[in-house]
Amino acid sequence: MEILYRWIDGINDVLWSYLLVALLLGCAVWFTLRTRGVQFRMLGEMVRVLGESAGSGPRGEKHVSSFQAFAVSLASRVGTGNLAGVATAIAVGGPGAVFWMWVIALLGASSAFVESTLAQLYKRKGRDSYIGGPAYYIHVLAERKRGKKLKRSVCAALFAVSGLICWCGISQVISNSVSSAFENAFQVPPLATTVVLTLLAALIVLRKNATVKSLDFIVPVMAVCYFVITVGIVVLNLRQLPAVLARIFAEAFGLRQVAAGGFGAVLMNGVKRGLFSNEAGSGSAPCAAAAAECDDPVKMGLVQALGVLIDTVVICSCTAFLMLLVPQEITAGLTGMNLLQTAMQYHLGSFGIVFIAVILALFSFSTFLGVLYYARGNVAYLCGDNWWSQTAYKLLALAMLLVGGTQAYTVVWDLGDVGIGLMTIFNMLALVPLSGEALTALNDYEKRKKIK
């Protein structure tokens, strides 16, 4: 097992030693320029499109609406990464990492637009609903390059496998974080928490069509509750906010970090945790985007771009402010959920620990449901759209959820980092050459809607 852990660390070092930083930021800047800042100038249109319903198909079947696809993708975005992930970024990279999380979100929303629009363009009709995602548009690109029909593309299959590895890693992170939070808040043994969490998840994911219905309710409730509480805390500490913002910007480019050789850690942890949280460019969210019924692919691209902005600019910022409004001597040396729960205890007393434990359970539970919904398309690409393969992966993910509650914290993050890093590389290899189709669709949409 020790050899496996070293191997995972080695892959992460290769992937995250500026390779993915350059790839993500470079493509995000390029897509932002080519779309003329679609994530900024069409913000109002994003909100409007979100409220549209899907309606019924030609045979009366119900399709996933824009909001439901948004809820699924936001469920996996707004999860453990927004709590434990932000805490880890600040603990390792310092407050300056928050700035780079903002950058990757503001620019990366354009990548989310391109990948989700392409997912809609190349979705396929599955057994019960549409399926799609990067594996499918990578496959189309491979067929064009080879000039013939392919049963499977190597690159598309590698993306699908990487995604399944990533989501198994996320399953471990979920149970690890929740069991740690409940142990701190209620002194519940990690194994007991993990078993209950796994059983609840099994009751939903093993039932047909229960995932989307559950997320329709969980996502709005959890996001609003967390936002209201955290904004209330920020307002009560409003006088300290300018100093917190100054600290974030100072340490993002600070000479102290550069002189100490720590600028790389600031940048890396901000970008890594930002990507892990909002998933822009990684190819995860398009798996949900493809399932939606839309009369125009651009609409789903806009909805998913909005999800990136909400995830990082709003929710992650709330978490960062909660921790940075606490005196440094109180949180010194703490990491992960211990850091976040200590910060909440400072603000809200013993209720703060309980609140974070409960909200983390909701965030994490919704994330698990969301990533299993993502997995549908990848499993279908590798094994065909059948019941046995979908159920087999669900059982594997549930097993990883059960195991994760007792594993070392850094190991479970590393497994997720490997998967999301590989996904991003394979996804970007297709996004760049296919992006022209998303841009053409955007131009046509703007002409019809007369959006400037």
Side-chain angles (χ1 to χ4, degrees), residues 18-28 421 424-426 428-429 432:
Y18 299 100
L19 173 62
L20 283 172
V21 175
L23 183 64
L24 284 167
L25 286 177
C27 288
T424 304
I425 292 173
F426 295 127
M428 287 298 181
L429 288 175
V432 173

Side-chain angles (χ1 to χ4, degrees), residues 410-421:
T410 55
V411 173
V412 295
W413 272 120
D414 288 346
L415 183 60
D417 286 343
V418 168
I420 203 168

Side-chain angles (χ1 to χ4, degrees), residues 373-447:
Y373 195 82
Y374 285 174
R376 292 167 60 253
N378 285 15
V379 171
Y381 182 81
L382 293 171
C383 305
D385 190 19
N386 50 64
W387 176 87
W388 71 264
S389 60
Q390 298 289 348
T391 303
Y393 185 75
K394 289 176 182 178
L395 292 174
L396 174 62
L398 288 167
M400 297 297 278
L401 191 69
L402 186 61
V403 170
T406 58
Q407 294 301 303
Y409 189 77
T410 55
V411 173
V412 295
W413 272 120
D414 288 346
L415 183 60
D417 286 343
V418 168
I420 203 168
L422 293 173
M423 286 171 64
T424 304
I425 292 173
F426 295 127
N427 186 42
M428 287 298 181
L429 288 175
L431 277 191
V432 173
L434 289 175
S435 60
E437 297 179 33
L439 296 172
T440 299
L442 175 61
N443 291 333
D444 291 343
Y445 182 84
E446 291 185 86
K447 288 177 183 177

Side-chain angles (χ1 to χ4, degrees), residues 107-145:
L107 295 176
S110 62
S111 300
F113 168 81
V114 172
E115 63 184 357
S116 294
T117 301
L118 289 174
Q120 272 285 311
L121 285 170
Y122 293 108
K123 67 186 180 184
R124 299 180 185 177
K125 191 72 174 71
R127 287 184 305 125
D128 302 315
S129 63
Y130 291 111
I131 55 174
Y136 295 84
Y137 56 71
I138 292 172
H139 182 93
V140 170
L141 182 61
E143 287 186 333
R144 291 178 185 174
K145 295 289 185 181

